Amino acid sequence: MIERAYDVAQELSRAGEGPDGSEFHLGDCQEIARSLKEKYAGKVSLIYLDPPFQTGKKFEVRVRVGENEWKTGKGSLALEGYSDDLPRNEYLEMMKNVLTSAKALLKSDGLIFVHIDYRIHPYIRILMDEIFGESNFINEIIWSYHTGGCAKKHFPRKHDVILLYSKTKNYDLHLEDIAEPNPDGRVNHMKKHVDADGRVYRSIRSGGRTYTYYDDDPVIPGDVWDNMSHLQQKDPQRTGYDTQKPLRLLERIVKCASRPGDIVMDLFAGSGTTLEAAANNGRRFIGADLNPLSMQTSHRRLNNAHCLYKFAPFQGEPEVSARAERGVAFTRVELQKFMIEPGMSQRKFDGLDGVDAWAVGYLKNGLFHSFEREVRTHAKPRLTGKIEVPVYEGELMMRITDVFGRYFFYHISVDEIV
Ligand SMILES: C[S@@+](CC[C@H](N)C(=O)[O-])C[C@H]1O[C@@H](n2cnc3c(N)ncnc32)[C@H](O)[C@@H]1O
């Protein structure tokens, strides 16, 4: 027997390994950044922000529905992502509020990267000079890519801008950690030699000293990043979230601007790229976004990370049935039915097709601790509808995430002792 729990507003996912203390907040970044100051002021090492660019567009999230779409990779449901259409003055007011809180959240040696494009670059540069101080400007990084259309009335636009500022002069940027072998070798005017092992090097004499550089030595990237492209349509990293950035871009930022155990923050988390880059590199992360599909997409990507998810309880009345049986040391829950309520979509959902993921665990002090979960993936497109958890303290509970990104919680009572 199950009963809907309407007031659960937080879930702790404790899966796999990784540092404790990561969080995802669903809501407006201005309010979240303001409220996070109470606990995290002066504690965050790196903040990356990839806000809307004032494109005037409506962005979509394409979600796969049911076993067949996950298995074949064909078909998806296009859902409303976010509308990038705030009037300029409201947009700049939002950015001012977020950047002001971001400064307070940063550690004294912390760094902030703000990812924008030609549309808002001049406004944000001035805003950041005002908030962080002109003298704390470090770099204007150009992320150059080859994708994007052709143009006849202007040069095709093939780059984004990432502004890098510090909080103080004493910042922690360790570029040696992102040095990469240069695939083209060094091309310059220095004299070329080959050493006894066949390695090519260049040398130059200056001020009475000889400087030697090997062609295959790793080099620190300059401020034009042109060796990582936008995700292609068929890239396996693609989550269906419009405007998703490549993981490699975020890994570069995370590695040079934070250290293991540090807190990395992204207040426009989108598909969760920054959070995944942080988790992959042993950093704690704090993410926020106002779109439930961002929480769902991030949760799916962070399935193996410890994370506290905070949100307002979701509206909606799907039809659900489940049963539970208890053994000596375990409880087995079977999800029998999940029907999305009429009016949500024209689409028909068969069986458990409306379920994107579900989890079973225990409710303790208003917090759902998720123990075991099933998530649809390309590798495992089918949900078995059966989850076993160890018998534990707290109230047995189940969470279902539907394809619209809504999280529903249910108290479960045991129907049978086996
Ligand atoms: C450009 S996307 C971020 C993409 C992300 N970097 C990625 O790799 O997937 C911008 C995100 O900002 C979110 N957003 C827009 N306005 C917001 C606000 N006021 N508070 C929180 N999130 C907001 C949108 O929902 C969207 O997910």
Side-chain angles (χ1 to χ4, degrees):
M1 267 236 317
I2 60 169
E3 189 191 339
R4 175 90 174 264
Y6 284 95
D7 53 354
V8 177
Q10 42 182 351
E11 168 171 340
L12 183 63
S13 267
R14 299 182 67 82
E17 297 302 314
D20 246 329
S22 293
E23 298 177 14
F24 188 102
H25 297 257
L26 181 60
D28 182 90
C29 58
Q30 300 166 84
E31 278 165 41
I32 289 165
R34 215 177 296 126
S35 68
L36 284 170
K37 282 194 274 184
E38 202 177 304
K39 188 166 162 201
Y40 290 108
K43 297 204 171 134
V44 179
S45 298
L46 161 64
I47 299 180
Y48 167 83
L49 302 178
D50 176 18
F53 292 177
Q54 291 256 272
T55 57
K57 291 188 196 160
K58 285 192 188 319
F59 290 99
E60 282 184 347
V61 184
R62 302 197 76 90
V63 293
R64 298 248 184 255
V65 177
E67 182 180 343
N68 196 38
E69 288 188 1
W70 276 104
K71 191 153 66 189
T72 59
K74 293 200 180 104
S76 59
L77 180 63
L79 300 176
E80 209 175 288
Y82 63 98
S83 298
D84 183 8
D85 55 3
L86 278 185
R88 172 71 41 86
N89 57 341
E90 283 178 40
Y91 177 84
L92 290 176
E93 185 61 26
M94 167 185 84
M95 288 307 294
K96 187 174 178 184
N97 292 337
V98 177
L99 290 168
T100 306
S101 296
K103 185 179 177 196
L105 287 159
L106 277 181
K107 280 169 75 176
S108 63
D109 61 356
L111 292 161
I112 178 163
F113 292 70
V114 181
H115 189 144
I116 44 185
D117 78 358
Y118 67 93
R119 284 169 267 233
I120 43 159
H121 170 215
Y123 303 95
I124 299 292
R125 175 81 191 258
I126 289 171
L127 202 52
M128 294 199 66
D129 276 352
E130 275 169 26
I131 295 169
F132 288 86
E134 246 180 283
S135 62
N136 288 323
F137 165 80
I138 302 176
N139 273 125
E140 177 177 292
I141 297 163
I142 301 298
W143 176 36
S144 150
Y145 37 78
H146 299 288
T147 43
C150 312
K152 292 229 170 89
K153 295 223 164 173
H154 55 78
F155 295 104
R157 296 177 177 126
K158 305 277 184 188
H159 79 274
D160 289 2
V161 177
I162 305 176
L163 296 174
L164 168 58
Y165 281 72
S166 59
K167 182 163 173 173
T168 65
K169 287 272 147 307
N170 180 26
Y171 56 85
D172 186 18
L173 182 66
H174 32 102
L175 296 175
E176 61 290 354
D177 287 358
I178 54 165
E180 291 175 352
N182 186 348
D184 306 326
R186 282 169 198 271
V187 181
N188 56 32
H189 58 283
M190 288 187 241
K191 209 167 159 201
K192 188 172 167 184
H193 312 267
V194 180
D195 75 6
D197 298 325
R199 285 179 73 202
V200 177
Y201 68 97
R202 320 267 165 166
S203 69
I204 191 165
R205 268 192 82 71
S206 170
R209 282 187 59 191
T210 302
Y211 295 88
T212 304
Y213 303 97
Y214 277 87
D215 273 19
D216 57 2
D217 272 345
V219 278
I220 289 171
D223 61 1
V224 177
W225 295 0
D226 55 3
N227 60 351
M228 42 186 115
S229 56
H230 263 300
L231 298 177
Q232 305 298 321
Q233 279 310 323
K234 296 243 178 281
D235 194 301
Q237 266 181 58
R238 270 204 179 268
T239 58
Y241 206 99
D242 269 351
T243 71
Q244 177 184 352
K245 302 299 178 295
L247 190 58
R248 190 162 164 225
L249 178 77
L250 270 304
E251 295 235 339
R252 181 178 278 187
I253 291 175
V254 163
K255 282 184 188 161
C256 70
S258 66
R259 295 180 187 270
D262 280 353
I263 302 178
V264 171
M265 185 176 271
D266 183 345
L267 300 164
F268 298 93
S271 67
T273 314
T274 314
L275 317 183
E276 185 182 349
N280 289 350
N281 289 284
R283 274 62 164 171
R284 291 169 60 188
F285 57 83
I286 299 177
D289 202 290
L290 46 67
N291 184 355
L293 292 161
S294 161
M295 180 163 83
Q296 175 198 31
T297 312
S298 301
H299 199 160
R300 148 186 293 293
R301 293 180 86 172
L302 296 166
N303 205 27
N304 285 322
H306 291 179
C307 182
L308 175 68
Y309 294 85
K310 290 190 154 199
F311 39 85
F314 286 83
Q315 308 279 324
E317 293 295 338
E319 219 181 293
V320 188
S321 69
R323 66 182 306 282
E325 54 187 30
R326 177 159 296 169
V328 181
F330 66 89
T331 305
R332 184 179 301 126
V333 179
E334 186 183 348
L335 177 58
Q336 297 165 310
K337 180 177 178 191
F338 183 84
M339 285 304 297
I340 302 242
E341 69 274 31
M344 278 302 287
S345 166
Q346 308 280 40
R347 178 82 179 244
K348 258 183 65 73
F349 298 94
D350 296 325
L352 296 182
D353 278 2
V355 181
D356 187 60
W358 70 297
V360 178
Y362 293 90
L363 182 72
K364 274 196 288 178
N365 304 325
L367 172 64
F368 172 61
H369 295 251
S370 113
F371 272 46
E372 296 293 338
R373 56 199 69 79
E374 276 203 294
V375 183
R376 283 189 206 275
T377 60
H378 294 293
K380 200 173 160 290
R382 186 170 165 269
L383 299 178
T384 65
K386 293 189 181 76
I387 290 182
E388 243 178 54
V389 290
V391 172
Y392 205 71
E393 64 201 75
E395 228 180 297
L396 189 65
M397 177 161 268
M398 149 177 98
R399 179 258 300 158
I400 300 176
T401 306
D402 73 0
V403 292
F404 301 100
R406 301 178 300 174
Y407 282 48
F408 298 114
F409 294 86
Y410 302 86
H411 300 283
I412 313 175
S413 43
V414 172
D415 300 281
E416 200 181 334
I417 310 284
V418 291

